[in-house]
Amino acid sequence: LDASAKDLKWRFPEKTAAEPASGSANNSAIGLWEYPVSGIINFTAESISLGEYTWKPVRAQIARDQDRIRIEVTEASLCGIDTLGTLHLDGNVLDLDFQYAAKDRDIVATRGCLNDNQVEMTGWFELTGQIKARGRADSLPGSATGAFDFKARKGQITKDKKLSRILEAVNFTEIVKGKIPDLRTKGFSYETITIEGEFSGDVMVFNKLYMNGKTLDLLGKGTLDMKQMTLDVELLASPFRTVDSAIKVVPGINYLMAGNLISIPVRVRGDAADPAVSIMSAADISSNFLDFVERTIKSPIKLIENLNLYKKD
Protein backbone atom coordinates (compact mmCIF):
# COMPACT_ATOMS: atom_id res chain seq x y z
CA LEU A 1 0.00 0.00 0.00
CA ASP A 2 0.92 3.67 -0.29
CA ALA A 3 1.09 5.93 2.74
CA SER A 4 1.87 9.62 3.13
CA ALA A 5 2.24 12.12 5.93
CA LYS A 6 2.83 15.82 6.37
CA ASP A 7 5.25 16.46 9.27
CA LEU A 8 6.40 13.69 11.60
CA LYS A 9 8.46 14.00 14.78
CA TRP A 10 10.46 11.19 16.37
CA ARG A 11 12.96 10.88 19.20
CA PHE A 12 15.29 8.26 20.58
CA PRO A 13 13.77 6.59 23.67
CA GLU A 14 15.46 7.25 27.00
CA LYS A 15 17.98 4.64 28.00
CA THR A 16 16.68 2.28 30.66
CA ALA A 17 18.66 1.34 33.76
CA ALA A 18 18.68 -2.36 32.95
CA GLU A 19 18.39 -4.39 29.77
CA PRO A 20 15.31 -6.62 29.52
CA ALA A 21 15.83 -10.36 29.86
CA SER A 22 16.12 -12.34 26.65
CA GLY A 23 12.79 -13.75 25.52
CA SER A 24 10.76 -11.46 27.79
CA ALA A 25 7.60 -9.69 26.71
CA ASN A 26 9.64 -6.48 26.32
CA ASN A 27 11.24 -7.96 23.21
CA SER A 28 7.97 -7.16 21.45
CA ALA A 29 7.91 -3.56 22.68
CA ILE A 30 7.81 -2.13 19.15
CA GLY A 31 4.31 -3.61 18.98
CA LEU A 32 4.27 -4.80 15.36
CA TRP A 33 5.39 -8.37 15.83
CA GLU A 34 2.09 -9.78 17.13
CA TYR A 35 0.33 -9.15 13.80
CA PRO A 36 0.95 -11.84 11.10
CA VAL A 37 1.14 -9.35 8.24
CA SER A 38 3.66 -9.20 5.41
CA GLY A 39 3.86 -6.60 2.67
CA ILE A 40 5.36 -3.38 1.35
CA ILE A 41 4.47 0.25 2.14
CA ASN A 42 5.58 3.00 -0.23
CA PHE A 43 5.94 5.89 2.19
CA THR A 44 6.35 9.63 1.64
CA ALA A 45 6.45 12.56 4.07
CA GLU A 46 6.89 16.29 3.69
CA SER A 47 9.29 16.18 6.64
CA ILE A 48 10.56 13.96 9.46
CA SER A 49 12.20 15.50 12.53
CA LEU A 50 14.61 13.81 14.92
CA GLY A 51 15.43 16.14 17.78
CA GLU A 52 16.52 19.48 16.30
CA TYR A 53 17.20 18.05 12.81
CA THR A 54 14.62 17.86 10.04
CA TRP A 55 14.77 15.87 6.80
CA LYS A 56 12.57 17.00 3.92
CA PRO A 57 11.18 15.61 1.78
CA VAL A 58 11.40 11.91 2.68
CA ARG A 59 10.64 8.92 0.49
CA ALA A 60 11.09 5.30 1.58
CA GLN A 61 9.94 1.74 1.05
CA ILE A 62 8.98 -0.20 4.16
CA ALA A 63 8.90 -3.98 3.84
CA ARG A 64 7.89 -6.52 6.48
CA ASP A 65 8.61 -10.22 6.34
CA GLN A 66 7.83 -12.30 9.45
CA ASP A 67 9.58 -10.66 12.43
CA ARG A 68 11.78 -8.28 10.44
CA ILE A 69 11.14 -4.83 9.01
CA ARG A 70 13.36 -3.30 6.35
CA ILE A 71 13.21 0.41 5.57
CA GLU A 72 15.01 1.62 2.46
CA VAL A 73 15.28 5.41 2.31
CA THR A 74 15.52 6.55 -1.31
CA GLU A 75 15.14 10.29 -0.72
CA ALA A 76 15.91 12.34 2.38
CA SER A 77 17.63 15.72 2.53
CA LEU A 78 18.99 17.29 5.71
CA CYS A 79 19.72 20.94 4.96
CA GLY A 80 20.85 20.05 1.45
CA ILE A 81 22.78 16.93 2.51
CA ASP A 82 21.41 13.72 0.97
CA THR A 83 21.14 10.85 3.49
CA LEU A 84 20.23 7.55 1.85
CA GLY A 85 20.42 4.00 3.17
CA THR A 86 18.68 1.14 4.93
CA LEU A 87 17.35 0.49 8.41
CA HIS A 88 16.48 -3.02 9.67
CA LEU A 89 14.35 -3.67 12.74
CA ASP A 90 14.45 -7.12 14.28
CA GLY A 91 12.61 -7.13 17.59
CA ASN A 92 14.17 -4.34 19.62
CA VAL A 93 17.44 -4.41 17.65
CA LEU A 94 18.05 -1.79 14.98
CA ASP A 95 20.68 -2.08 12.26
CA LEU A 96 21.33 0.93 10.02
CA ASP A 97 23.68 1.67 7.15
CA PHE A 98 23.46 5.15 5.60
CA GLN A 99 25.53 7.22 3.19
CA TYR A 100 25.45 11.00 3.14
CA ALA A 101 26.64 13.36 0.44
CA ALA A 102 26.49 16.99 -0.66
CA LYS A 103 28.11 18.79 -3.59
CA ASP A 104 28.52 22.48 -4.40
CA ARG A 105 26.41 23.57 -1.42
CA ASP A 106 26.42 27.06 0.07
CA ILE A 107 27.96 26.94 3.56
CA VAL A 108 25.90 29.91 4.78
CA ALA A 109 22.57 28.30 3.84
CA THR A 110 23.47 24.90 5.30
CA ARG A 111 24.91 26.33 8.51
CA GLY A 112 21.81 28.45 9.06
CA CYS A 113 19.56 25.44 8.48
CA LEU A 114 21.54 23.37 11.01
CA ASN A 115 21.44 26.21 13.57
CA ASP A 116 25.24 26.11 13.88
CA ASN A 117 26.27 29.19 15.88
CA GLN A 118 29.79 28.01 16.75
CA VAL A 119 31.34 28.97 13.41
CA GLU A 120 30.51 31.75 10.97
CA MET A 121 31.98 31.27 7.52
CA THR A 122 31.22 31.59 3.84
CA GLY A 123 32.16 29.47 0.86
CA TRP A 124 31.07 26.29 -0.92
CA PHE A 125 31.45 22.75 0.33
CA GLU A 126 31.13 19.10 -0.58
CA LEU A 127 30.72 16.19 1.82
CA THR A 128 30.74 12.40 1.58
CA GLY A 129 30.52 9.82 4.32
CA GLN A 130 28.95 6.71 5.78
CA ILE A 131 27.46 5.79 9.14
CA LYS A 132 26.66 2.34 10.50
CA ALA A 133 25.13 1.37 13.83
CA ARG A 134 23.55 -1.66 15.47
CA GLY A 135 21.82 -2.02 18.83
CA ARG A 136 18.76 -1.15 20.84
CA ALA A 137 17.15 2.18 20.02
CA ASP A 138 18.20 3.72 23.35
CA SER A 139 21.88 2.89 22.77
CA LEU A 140 22.08 3.27 18.99
CA PRO A 141 23.93 6.63 18.88
CA GLY A 142 26.78 5.25 21.00
CA SER A 143 27.31 2.28 18.67
CA ALA A 144 27.74 4.35 15.50
CA THR A 145 30.84 3.96 13.32
CA GLY A 146 31.73 5.57 10.01
CA ALA A 147 33.92 7.89 8.01
CA PHE A 148 33.65 11.36 6.43
CA ASP A 149 35.39 13.61 3.93
CA PHE A 150 34.62 17.35 4.01
CA LYS A 151 36.00 19.94 1.60
CA ALA A 152 35.31 23.68 1.44
CA ARG A 153 36.60 26.30 -0.98
CA LYS A 154 36.89 30.04 -1.52
CA GLY A 155 35.39 31.57 1.57
CA GLN A 156 36.01 33.55 4.71
CA ILE A 157 35.80 32.67 8.41
CA THR A 158 34.57 35.47 10.66
CA LYS A 159 33.77 33.57 13.88
CA ASP A 160 35.47 30.46 15.27
CA LYS A 161 37.01 30.35 18.75
CA LYS A 162 39.38 27.53 17.84
CA LEU A 163 40.79 29.33 14.80
CA SER A 164 40.82 32.64 16.66
CA ARG A 165 42.95 31.17 19.45
CA ILE A 166 45.33 29.62 16.92
CA LEU A 167 45.74 32.94 15.12
CA GLU A 168 46.37 34.72 18.42
CA ALA A 169 49.07 32.21 19.37
CA VAL A 170 50.82 32.39 15.99
CA ASN A 171 50.51 36.18 15.86
CA PHE A 172 52.39 36.36 19.17
CA THR A 173 55.56 34.98 17.57
CA GLU A 174 57.98 37.67 16.51
CA ILE A 175 58.44 36.39 12.96
CA VAL A 176 54.79 37.02 12.05
CA LYS A 177 53.78 39.48 14.75
CA GLY A 178 50.88 41.66 13.62
CA LYS A 179 50.64 40.08 10.17
CA ILE A 180 47.91 37.46 10.85
CA PRO A 181 44.32 38.81 10.82
CA ASP A 182 42.34 39.06 14.09
CA LEU A 183 38.91 37.43 13.70
CA ARG A 184 37.45 39.97 16.12
CA THR A 185 38.07 42.75 13.62
CA LYS A 186 38.68 41.05 10.27
CA GLY A 187 37.76 37.78 8.60
CA PHE A 188 40.23 35.04 7.65
CA SER A 189 40.14 34.21 3.94
CA TYR A 190 40.86 30.68 2.77
CA GLU A 191 41.25 28.90 -0.54
CA THR A 192 40.52 25.33 0.57
CA ILE A 193 39.73 23.39 3.75
CA THR A 194 39.94 19.59 3.97
CA ILE A 195 38.81 17.45 6.91
CA GLU A 196 39.09 13.67 6.62
CA GLY A 197 38.22 11.38 9.49
CA GLU A 198 36.32 8.53 11.05
CA PHE A 199 34.34 7.90 14.20
CA SER A 200 33.56 4.98 16.46
CA GLY A 201 31.25 5.29 19.44
CA ASP A 202 32.05 8.50 21.29
CA VAL A 203 35.41 9.21 19.60
CA MET A 204 35.92 11.09 16.34
CA VAL A 205 39.38 10.83 14.78
CA PHE A 206 40.62 13.53 12.40
CA ASN A 207 43.07 11.75 10.12
CA LYS A 208 43.81 14.95 8.20
CA LEU A 209 43.05 18.61 8.88
CA TYR A 210 44.27 21.03 6.25
CA MET A 211 43.50 24.68 5.56
CA ASN A 212 45.09 26.71 2.79
CA GLY A 213 44.61 30.28 3.97
CA LYS A 214 45.52 33.58 2.43
CA THR A 215 48.07 34.35 5.16
CA LEU A 216 48.42 31.03 6.98
CA ASP A 217 48.31 27.30 6.23
CA LEU A 218 47.36 24.71 8.84
CA LEU A 219 48.02 20.97 8.72
CA GLY A 220 47.29 18.51 11.49
CA LYS A 221 45.39 15.61 13.02
CA GLY A 222 43.72 14.80 16.32
CA THR A 223 40.64 13.54 18.14
CA LEU A 224 37.30 14.77 19.47
CA ASP A 225 35.66 13.05 22.44
CA MET A 226 31.99 13.51 21.56
CA LYS A 227 30.79 12.42 25.00
CA GLN A 228 32.98 14.84 26.96
CA MET A 229 33.14 17.30 24.03
CA THR A 230 36.89 17.75 24.36
CA LEU A 231 39.51 18.25 21.63
CA ASP A 232 43.12 17.13 21.35
CA VAL A 233 44.66 18.29 18.07
CA GLU A 234 48.25 18.83 16.90
CA LEU A 235 48.84 21.32 14.08
CA LEU A 236 51.66 22.86 12.14
CA ALA A 237 50.98 26.49 11.28
CA SER A 238 52.90 27.68 8.24
CA PRO A 239 52.65 31.42 7.60
CA PHE A 240 54.22 31.08 4.12
CA ARG A 241 53.63 34.55 2.77
CA THR A 242 54.37 36.45 5.97
CA VAL A 243 57.50 34.38 6.62
CA ASP A 244 58.74 34.90 3.07
CA SER A 245 58.59 38.65 3.60
CA ALA A 246 59.96 38.50 7.15
CA ILE A 247 63.08 36.41 6.48
CA LYS A 248 64.27 38.85 3.82
CA VAL A 249 64.86 41.50 6.50
CA VAL A 250 66.27 39.24 9.24
CA PRO A 251 70.05 38.70 8.81
CA GLY A 252 71.02 35.03 8.63
CA ILE A 253 67.49 33.66 8.74
CA ASN A 254 67.20 33.22 4.99
CA TYR A 255 70.38 31.14 5.00
CA LEU A 256 69.33 29.02 7.99
CA MET A 257 65.85 28.29 6.63
CA ALA A 258 66.78 27.77 2.97
CA GLY A 259 65.05 24.78 1.40
CA ASN A 260 62.82 24.08 4.40
CA LEU A 261 59.15 24.68 5.12
CA ILE A 262 58.93 26.97 8.14
CA SER A 263 56.27 25.82 10.59
CA ILE A 264 55.09 26.66 14.08
CA PRO A 265 53.85 23.63 16.10
CA VAL A 266 50.53 24.27 17.84
CA ARG A 267 48.40 22.15 20.20
CA VAL A 268 44.64 22.66 20.59
CA ARG A 269 43.30 20.94 23.71
CA GLY A 270 40.31 21.15 26.04
CA ASP A 271 36.66 22.17 25.75
CA ALA A 272 35.67 21.76 22.09
CA ALA A 273 33.70 25.03 22.17
CA ASP A 274 36.50 27.04 23.83
CA PRO A 275 39.81 25.13 23.80
CA ALA A 276 43.23 26.23 24.99
CA VAL A 277 45.90 26.78 22.33
CA SER A 278 49.64 26.62 22.99
CA ILE A 279 52.88 26.72 21.02
CA MET A 280 54.75 23.41 21.36
CA SER A 281 58.45 22.73 21.40
CA ALA A 282 59.84 20.19 18.95
CA ALA A 283 60.35 17.76 21.84
CA ASP A 284 56.61 17.75 22.55
CA ILE A 285 55.69 16.59 19.04
CA SER A 286 55.26 12.88 18.50
CA SER A 287 57.29 11.14 15.81
CA ASN A 288 54.04 9.76 14.35
CA PHE A 289 52.78 13.29 13.80
CA LEU A 290 56.00 14.42 12.12
CA ASP A 291 55.92 11.34 9.88
CA PHE A 292 52.34 12.21 8.95
CA VAL A 293 53.31 15.79 8.07
CA GLU A 294 56.29 14.79 5.94
CA ARG A 295 54.25 12.13 4.10
CA THR A 296 51.50 14.66 3.43
CA ILE A 297 53.48 17.65 2.17
CA LYS A 298 56.60 15.77 0.97
CA SER A 299 58.93 18.56 2.10
CA PRO A 300 61.53 18.99 4.86
CA ILE A 301 60.20 20.71 7.97
CA LYS A 302 61.95 23.45 9.93
CA LEU A 303 60.26 23.93 13.30
CA ILE A 304 60.52 27.32 14.92
CA GLU A 305 61.50 26.59 18.54
CA ASN A 306 63.18 29.91 19.37
CA LEU A 307 60.12 31.95 18.50
CA ASN A 308 61.76 35.34 18.88
CA LEU A 309 63.96 35.26 15.78
CA TYR A 310 64.83 38.94 16.12
CA LYS A 311 66.92 38.33 19.21
CA LYS A 312 70.69 38.63 18.67
CA ASP A 313 71.68 36.15 21.40
Side-chain angles (χ1 to χ4, degrees):
L1 58 86
D2 295 334
S4 62
K6 185 173 176 60
D7 303 306
L8 297 179
K9 296 184 182 296
W10 191 73
R11 64 178 177 85
F12 283 110
E14 295 181 1
K15 192 169 185 176
T16 56
E19 297 291 330
S22 177
S24 69
N26 286 335
N27 284 338
S28 299
I30 293 180
L32 299 176
W33 316 119
E34 56 192 83
Y35 301 105
V37 176
S38 296
I40 295 175
I41 300 174
N42 297 309
F43 174 77
T44 59
E46 292 187 16
S47 72
I48 294 181
S49 297
L50 174 58
E52 61 183 5
Y53 301 113
T54 300
W55 286 258
K56 57 182 181 180
V58 176
R59 189 180 303 274
Q61 186 179 80
I62 305 171
R64 184 191 171 185
D65 184 13
Q66 297 180 353
D67 289 346
R68 187 174 176 85
I69 291 179
R70 180 179 187 273
I71 302 174
E72 181 178 358
V73 179
T74 57
E75 182 181 5
S77 178
L78 172 64
C79 299
I81 302 171
D82 294 328
T83 53
L84 311 178
T86 57
L87 172 65
H88 293 91
L89 294 82
D90 191 352
N92 275 351
V93 177
L94 288 81
D95 192 343
L96 64 85
D97 184 352
F98 275 75
Q99 295 78 42
Y100 48 91
K103 189 174 182 179
D104 293 329
R105 304 296 303 184
D106 184 354
I107 291 178
V108 174
T110 300
R111 187 181 59 81
C113 176
L114 293 173
N115 296 318
D116 181 7
N117 297 318
Q118 295 295 321
V119 179
E120 292 183 3
M121 62 186 295
T122 62
W124 300 87
F125 79 95
E126 59 183 67
L127 172 70
T128 58
Q130 182 179 30
I131 179 171
K132 295 183 177 181
R134 178 177 173 81
R136 291 170 51 86
D138 54 9
S139 61
L140 197 64
S143 68
T145 62
F148 58 89
D149 186 347
F150 171 86
K151 292 181 173 61
R153 56 185 170 82
K154 296 191 180 302
Q156 189 176 69
I157 302 172
T158 55
K159 175 187 175 183
D160 182 1
K161 279 192 175 181
K162 294 176 282 296
L163 177 59
S164 181
R165 294 281 172 82
I166 293 171
L167 298 182
E168 288 174 5
V170 173
N171 228 350
F172 181 74
T173 65
E174 289 293 339
I175 199 168
V176 295
K177 190 171 185 179
K179 297 181 175 65
I180 304 296
D182 187 339
L183 290 193
R184 292 171 297 183
T185 58
K186 186 178 180 181
F188 182 89
S189 298
Y190 68 89
E191 287 295 322
T192 59
I193 295 175
T194 298
I195 304 175
E196 299 174 2
E198 55 193 343
F199 53 90
S200 179
D202 295 324
V203 179
M204 181 177 292
V205 179
F206 302 108
N207 296 322
K208 179 181 179 181
L209 299 167
Y210 175 67
M211 180 172 68
N212 175 16
K214 185 176 181 180
T215 54
L216 181 76
D217 285 7
L218 294 173
L219 175 65
K221 60 188 302 187
T223 60
L224 167 65
D225 186 322
M226 293 182 286
K227 187 174 183 179
Q228 302 295 329
M229 289 308 295
T230 54
L231 272 173
D232 189 357
V233 175
E234 287 179 292
L235 295 166
L236 286 185
S238 299
F240 295 120
R241 297 162 184 80
T242 54
V243 167
D244 287 343
S245 61
I247 61 178
K248 292 177 181 178
V249 298
V250 183
I253 293 299
N254 191 31
Y255 171 77
L256 292 174
M257 301 298 186
N260 290 331
L261 173 63
I262 303 174
S263 299
I264 302 170
V266 179
R267 166 154 266 164
V268 182
R269 177 182 282 178
D271 184 352
D274 191 13
V277 175
S278 60
I279 303 292
M280 294 188 296
S281 67
D284 295 329
I285 305 174
S286 66
S287 58
N288 288 338
F289 179 67
L290 286 178
D291 289 343
F292 155 76
V293 172
E294 292 184 350
R295 286 195 311 269
T296 303
I297 63 178
K298 295 180 175 59
S299 175
I301 302 297
K302 175 63 181 180
L303 298 177
I304 301 177
E305 284 192 82
N306 182 7
L307 297 176
N308 189 347
L309 296 179
Y310 290 103
K311 286 184 177 180
K312 295 182 180 180
D313 51 348

